[in-house]
Amino acid sequence: MKQGSLVMAMIWMAVLSLLLFWLPLFGPLIAGFVGGRTAGSAGRGLLAAVLPAAVLCFLLVGFGTALIGLPVIGVIASASLFLLIVVQSLPLLAGALVGGLMA
């Protein structure tokens, strides 16, 4: 079985999401499908879709704690941002799942 590239899948998802922003449902769906196919499997496709959001949230915890001095505020802000990103990118996750299954 051919192993895909997780980094290239994240890059494809980001670039296609930016280019197809004007298609509200189908833009992220297409980006997720291409990223899932590039990742090589369904699990790796979903990881490529969720990993950038998780990294952004960890950075937000660090910066929120450093700027405010209260780790609880940083954790609350990052958890809410992660939930918002994941809910907003449900078509991206669905496309990554289908693309990974078809790879």
Side-chain angles (χ1 to χ4, degrees), residues 5-38:
S5 172
L6 191 64
V7 174
M8 283 305 296
M10 287 189 285
I11 291 171
W12 272 110
M13 285 183 191
V15 168
L16 286 176
S17 291
L18 288 174
L19 290 175
L20 298 173
F21 73 93
W22 51 276
L23 293 170
L25 180 65
F26 296 108
L29 193 65
I30 293 168
F33 180 78
V34 171
R37 297 252 328 167
T38 305

Side-chain angles (χ1 to χ4, degrees), residues 82-94:
F82 182 74
L83 183 63
L84 179 71
I85 289 172
V86 168
V87 167
Q88 184 269 336
S89 64
L90 285 177
L92 183 73
L93 292 169

Side-chain angles (χ1 to χ4, degrees), residues 64-81:
T65 302
L67 292 174
I68 298 173
L70 298 172
V72 174
I73 300 298
V75 169
I76 291 171
S78 72
S80 60
L81 178 69

